[in-house]
Structure formats: C-alpha cells, structure tokens
Amino acid sequence: MASRQKLSGIQKQVLALYRGFLRTARLKAPEERRRIESVVSAEFRDSARNVDRKNFVYIEYLLRRGRRQLEQLKNPDITGLATLEVNK
C-alpha cells in the first residue's frame, strides 16, 4: 500500500476553498449549481497548470481572492458566478 505524501498548509487551504465552493454550489438552483461547479473546476485547473508552485505570494493572493468570492457566493441573493476571460 503506497503512502500519500503529506499536504502542505497552503495545499490544505486550496482544497478547503475548493470544497467550500462545491458545498456552496449545492445551495443554488440545479442549473446554476452545474454552472458554478464548471466555472470553479475550470478556474482551479487553470491555476494548477499555470501558476508556479513556488510562487507563494501569488498563490496567497489567489486564496484571498477566492475566499472573497466564496463569501459573496454564500449570500442567498447571489444566484451564480460570473467569469471574465482575458485574451492573452
């Protein structure tokens, strides 16, 4: 049986934020829930691919931004997430 490598504190924070978004999505309408889950999944995957794992300052910035977005999404008056795509 292979043992898993322990997660760092920042990795645990990222996973907790991801789970928080998924839990909050469950409180929204079914079609909006799927859209939120899709947007969140895409954002996290994109960051996992494109952000240098050693760039802690930027990762911490993304965590703070994500927490603010999550708090806004928890508001019952907010129905979903909006995304902004910037051409690079």
Side-chain angles (χ1 to χ4, degrees), residues 6-70:
K6 279 194 162 191
L7 297 176
S8 71
I10 205 161
Q11 287 171 320
K12 290 178 183 177
Q13 290 176 47
V14 170
L15 290 173
L17 181 62
Y18 185 74
R19 285 191 309 268
F21 272 108
L22 296 183
R23 285 186 185 118
T24 302
R26 286 189 221 136
L27 304 174
K28 306 299 179 182
E31 61 191 39
E32 194 56 40
R33 174 185 177 176
R34 285 188 293 276
R35 185 176 183 289
I36 291 169
E37 289 171 348
S38 170
V39 168
V40 168
S41 176
E43 286 288 326
F44 274 78
R45 285 184 194 278
D46 183 54
S47 291
R49 273 190 225 108
N50 297 322
V51 175
D52 180 19
R53 292 175 184 213
K54 293 185 181 357
N55 190 348
F56 298 114
V57 173
Y58 187 61
I59 294 169
E60 289 171 352
Y61 159 74
L62 291 174
L63 279 168
R64 285 191 305 274
R65 190 178 83 179
R67 287 185 190 117
R68 280 193 306 269
Q69 290 173 332
L70 179 57

